[in-house]
Amino acid sequence: MSHGADDLLLLLAVVRHGSYAGAAADLGLSHTTVSRRMASLEKTVGARLLVRSGDMWEPSELGRKFVAAGEEIEAALGSLPLGAGGRGSTINGVVRALAPDGFGGVVMGAAMRRLIEEHPGVRLEMINAARRAQTNPVGIDLEVVVGRPEVSRKEAFHLADYSLGVYASRDYLAAHAPIRNPDQVQEHPLIYFVESMQDVAELDIPRRRFPRMRQGVGATSSVVHVELTRAGAGVGLLPCYLAERAGDLVRLFPDELWFPVDYWVVSRADLLRRPAVQAVMGAIRAAVADMQEELIAAPR
């Protein structure tokens, strides 16, 4: 690969990550090296290829043409028979994602099992939290968020529907007076997100169903909610696909206390063109399709 092509791929990485630091981490270079090579490229061209937009680098009008050339180089490299013995193309790279912990463990786990078989050169790094879409998070290729996001200059599309339900352990139910109707659930401590730290409106809707219910334990993780409920710390408002996998929880009043929510993916068009990101998204979509009924967990 010529030095010029190398620099176009580096420019492409800077634009995708919005920062020198993100590109450096992705490509195993130092921040100084990235900065120096971008300055050298712009000096050779005789014009600015990158401009500041808030805290991010974005391509100038001329820079977009160079980015497009970098994408063509990337696509051409991806089509070459670079596998063992030249038997086929390979996709390599690190994909960084934000995702809720339950989704990250269960759905992404199934997706990564598929991905490893098809594209072993792709590696995933995740930050796990249920939160609103972030404003241009540096170094992040895609975000899985709860509820339809309000984002600008990004791509957002619906990924999957899922459900929240109310659960308790068998031991907890045996140790307390029978819960004979949905309103009586409010007499028990709730296990759910920390209210003051929760900024996802869709996750607050189920809480409003129980105006008298006191928070027993608040935690920032759905996986922790499940374990707290299993331990008998109270009644959990849980993603059904996580609670049902536990195998030892009882779903309370599934017809009345069923709360549909949905997952969305947020990214940028240029990031979604990355072969590694496309491979991850393909694996996620396939996993979601396989798990559709488990995720929705509709009352029967």
Side-chain angles (χ1 to χ4, degrees):
M1 187 189 305
S2 71
H3 183 68
D6 220 0
D7 283 344
L8 288 179
L9 292 175
L10 180 55
L11 173 66
L12 183 59
V14 171
V15 170
R16 282 173 172 167
H17 290 285
S19 71
Y20 291 165
D26 194 10
L27 299 176
L29 302 172
S30 69
H31 184 285
T32 302
T33 298
V34 174
S35 177
R36 174 177 53 79
R37 284 175 54 181
M38 287 299 93
S40 176
L41 179 60
E42 289 184 326
K43 183 177 180 180
T44 300
V45 173
R48 295 298 302 271
L49 300 179
L50 294 167
V51 294
R52 273 288 184 186
S53 177
D55 294 332
M56 297 187 66
W57 287 112
E58 292 190 348
S60 65
E61 185 174 349
L62 178 61
R64 292 190 188 96
K65 297 180 180 180
F66 281 77
V67 169
E71 290 176 336
E72 291 178 3
I73 293 170
E74 181 182 62
L77 289 173
S79 68
L80 293 175
L82 300 176
R87 289 194 296 269
S89 63
T90 184
I91 298 175
N92 294 286
V94 178
V95 175
R96 295 179 175 87
L98 294 172
D101 60 342
F103 184 96
V106 175
V107 182
M108 294 290 253
M112 290 309 101
R113 182 176 64 246
R114 184 187 305 264
L115 187 75
I116 288 169
E117 295 173 357
E118 298 178 357
H119 304 291
V122 177
R123 186 161 59 91
L124 178 72
E125 295 179 353
M126 276 193 293
I127 299 172
N128 299 113
R131 59 188 184 183
R132 292 183 301 176
Q134 304 298 293
T135 304
N136 298 322
V138 174
I140 297 298
D141 297 299
L142 60 93
E143 301 171 74
V144 178
V145 299
V146 177
R148 184 174 191 136
E150 297 179 5
V151 292
S152 60
R153 296 185 302 135
K154 286 192 174 188
E155 298 286 333
F157 47 90
H158 179 265
L159 181 60
D161 296 313
Y162 77 103
S163 298
L164 296 174
V166 177
Y167 290 84
S169 71
R170 291 185 176 86
D171 288 344
Y172 181 90
L173 294 173
H176 295 80
I179 305 175
R180 302 189 187 281
N181 62 67
D183 283 343
Q184 289 182 336
V185 169
Q186 298 184 88
E187 310 306 324
H188 297 263
L190 174 67
I191 297 170
Y192 199 46
F193 290 104
V194 180
E195 189 169 3
S196 62
M197 299 175 65
Q198 181 53 254
D199 62 359
V200 180
E202 287 78 5
L203 292 176
D204 192 50
I205 292 172
R207 194 197 302 267
R208 299 175 198 163
R209 174 63 177 80
F210 310 106
R212 303 195 314 273
M213 198 170 188
R214 69 176 179 84
Q215 182 99 45
V217 183
T220 59
S221 161
S222 291
V223 173
V224 172
H225 299 164
V226 171
E227 294 306 314
L228 288 167
T229 306
R230 294 181 70 196
V235 172
L237 185 51
L238 311 174
C240 296
Y241 70 92
L242 293 180
E244 298 293 339
R245 285 186 168 226
D248 56 357
L249 294 176
V250 178
R251 188 174 179 182
L252 305 179
F253 310 104
D255 292 326
E256 297 92 340
L257 303 181
W258 174 54
F259 306 98
V261 206
D262 53 3
Y263 288 122
W264 287 67
V265 168
V266 180
S267 187
R268 296 200 316 264
D270 58 309
L271 294 174
L272 291 171
R273 288 195 293 269
R274 281 188 63 199
V277 174
Q278 290 178 356
V280 170
M281 281 306 310
I284 292 173
R285 287 185 180 279
V288 164
D290 289 344
M291 300 174 64
Q292 186 173 14
E293 290 189 10
E294 180 181 359
L295 289 168
I296 294 176
R300 299 186 183 279

